[in-house]
């Protein structure tokens, strides 16, 4: 249940449109007065209203994969579906769409949507950390208290104790690290949001250089060639590893994929992904093929994977076929993505003392082996009711932060009007 899975999520928002090819400008007449030059038309996709349900499905799958990974810890899940890269790519596409408005207005809106859910999380976990004995580190002095403000404004990764409580406590001693560890995603998301106006400006002038620059930076600081210690090094590594995925979202919105043959993007992406696996094979971490421990492999694999997903983006306005049956859950996951990401790890750990209550059942010891083997499955089944409780109790803060009317269960279904009588 490592801290580098990851959320966050991304923070939820409307899906991003796909087709961004420019329409040709009207041609001048053969004779007559010279026409006034028409402004460059916006890409068609930018004018398309509503959510892109294909992107909503990807975000929901990414959140589910994060939860499953944090319960089972299967390293191969980071290869099967690189959730964090996908979430950053989707957020980048949405950010590019939003930047048709003034940049400061967009950044302020993104930060406003992020902070109230973050404050609610901090209001719960911080008192528990202090109650269980977490104290300021004297060696850090005032810097320790400054780092603590990251729970109010996550410009850095919020600190937490590596050990909290006692071995006989309800939660295991690593609960704080596991609960707050995934908040690195919130920090990375915030920095990407702040940097997006400059990144989009650079992308529109030098698209390929801007797209590939984070991969080059990862090759420098993510391989050990240059080491940057401490929190700064971790933040820069995260920015480099997922930077190309974020800029891929720009490419998706701006229609770059429509200008490149699919066979070319798929072929190049396959080569980049193959390089990522080759690099991983020679730099396996403590959990083997877990790409979260191998920055260069994570960057290359996530980049190629997201290119293919976005190249074949069908831009659904409604979910097709059998997927339509999942519409309400996909809608709920997207409307509460921040809440799900922030709380999922803490709630996963909360399943442990709940499941342990079965040992109070007389004669249950005879099934000890079966229960132990089924423990992760029981955690998975139990975490969803707990997430539902979190969505109902604090999820409405996402609506308040977005200046919408609070909703307890925003799954897209509407109550049918009562039939008239008489």
């Amino acid at each position: 249940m490592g801290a580098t899975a990851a959320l966050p999520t991304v923070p939820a928002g409307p899906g991003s449109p796909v087709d961004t090819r420019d329409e040709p400008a009207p041609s001048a007449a053969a004779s007559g007065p010279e026409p006034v030059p028409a402004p460059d038309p916006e890409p068609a996709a930018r004018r398309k209203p509503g959510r892109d349900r294909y992107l909503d499905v990807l975000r929901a799958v990414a959140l589910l994969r994060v939860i499953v990974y944090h319960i089972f810890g299967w390293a191969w899940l980071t290869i099967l579906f690189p959730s964090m890269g996908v979430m950053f790519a989707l957020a980048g596409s949405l950010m590019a769409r939003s930047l048709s408005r003034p940049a400061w207005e967009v950044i302020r809106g993104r930060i406003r949507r992020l902070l109230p859910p973050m404050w609610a999380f901090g209001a719960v976990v911080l008192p528990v950390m202090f109650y269980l004995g977490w104290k300021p580190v004297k060696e850090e002095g005032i810097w320790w208290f400054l780092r603590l403000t990251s729970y109010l404004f996550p410009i850095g990764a919020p600190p937490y104790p590596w050990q909290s409580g006692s071995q006989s406590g309800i939660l295991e001693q690593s609960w704080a690290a596991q609960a707050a560890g995934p908040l690195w995603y919130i920090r990375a998301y915030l920095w990407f949001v702040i940097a997006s106006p400059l990144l989009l400006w650079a992308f529109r002038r030098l698209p390929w250089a801007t797209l590939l620059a984070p991969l080059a930076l990862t090759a420098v600081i993510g391989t050990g060639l240059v080491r940057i210690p401490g929190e700064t090094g971790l933040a820069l590594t995260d920015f480099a590893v997922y930077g190309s995925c974020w800029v891929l979202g720009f490419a998706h919105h701006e229609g770059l994929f429509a200008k490149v043959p699919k066979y070319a993007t798929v072929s190049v992406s396959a080569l980049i992904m193959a390089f990522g696996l080759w690099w991983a094979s020679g730099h396996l971490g403590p959990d083997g093929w877990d790409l979260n421990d191998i920055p260069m492999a994570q960057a290359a694999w996530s980049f190629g994977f997201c290119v293919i997903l976005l190249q074949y983006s069908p831009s659904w306005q409604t979910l097709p076929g059998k997927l339509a049956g999942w519409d309400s859950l996909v809608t709920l996951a997207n409307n509460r993505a921040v809440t799900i990401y922030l709380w999922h790890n803490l709630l996963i750990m909360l399943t442990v003392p709940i499941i342990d209550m079965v040992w109070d059942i007389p004669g249950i010891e005879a099934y000890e082996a079966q229960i132990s083997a089924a423990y992760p499955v029981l955690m998975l089944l139990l975490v969803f009711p707990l997430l539902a409780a979190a969505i109902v109790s604090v999820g409405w803060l996402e609506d308040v932060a977005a200046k919408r009317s609070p909703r307890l269960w925003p799954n897209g279904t509407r109550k049918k009007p009562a039939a008239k009588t008489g």
Side-chain angles (χ1 to χ4, degrees), residues 64-200:
L64 177 61
R65 203 284 283 160
V66 167
I67 294 170
V68 173
Y69 169 81
H70 276 158
I71 292 177
F72 292 91
W74 293 328
W76 54 267
L77 284 174
T78 64
I79 298 174
L80 178 67
F81 195 89
S83 283
M84 303 318 296
V86 171
M87 291 170 71
F88 280 120
L90 301 181
S93 181
L94 176 60
M95 190 67 186
R97 180 184 185 180
S98 298
L99 283 172
S100 59
R101 308 195 307 272
W104 169 242
E105 176 186 327
V106 176
I107 293 174
R108 183 179 59 185
R110 289 293 182 277
I111 294 175
R112 185 188 67 239
R113 292 185 181 197
L114 188 66
L115 294 185
M118 180 76 179
W119 294 340
F121 180 81
V124 171
V125 300
L126 278 176
V128 178
M129 290 178 189
F130 288 124
Y131 177 77
L132 294 178
W134 191 34
K135 297 179 180 179
V137 180
K138 294 182 179 179
E139 292 77 11
E140 294 187 17
I142 190 65
W143 178 244
W144 189 88
F145 294 95
L146 291 175
R147 291 177 60 216
L148 202 62
T149 61
S150 291
Y151 282 97
L152 298 177
F153 192 83
I155 203 72
Y160 47 82
W162 287 100
Q163 298 289 326
S164 179
S166 63
Q167 291 183 353
S168 59
I170 295 177
L171 298 174
E172 60 177 289
Q173 288 183 293
S174 65
W175 76 268
Q178 296 187 59
L183 298 184
W184 70 268
Y185 171 81
I186 306 298
R187 172 200 63 198
Y189 172 82
L190 179 63
W191 277 109
F192 279 128
V193 166
I194 294 172
S196 281
L198 178 60
L199 287 174
L200 185 58

Side-chain angles (χ1 to χ4, degrees), residues 15-23 40-50 52 93-101 200-201 203-204 249-256 259 315 317:
S16 311
V18 254
D19 187 4
T20 58
R21 289 169 288 188
D22 292 333
E23 297 175 0
D40 290 337
E42 284 189 305
R46 293 188 196 174
R47 299 194 303 269
K48 192 179 296 183
D52 187 327
S93 181
L94 176 60
M95 190 67 186
R97 180 184 185 180
S98 298
L99 283 172
S100 59
R101 308 195 307 272
L200 185 58
W201 176 87
F203 175 79
R204 287 172 173 169
F250 295 171
H252 171 255
H253 178 263
E254 296 290 301
L256 184 64
K259 302 174 183 177
S315 187
Q317 294 302 297

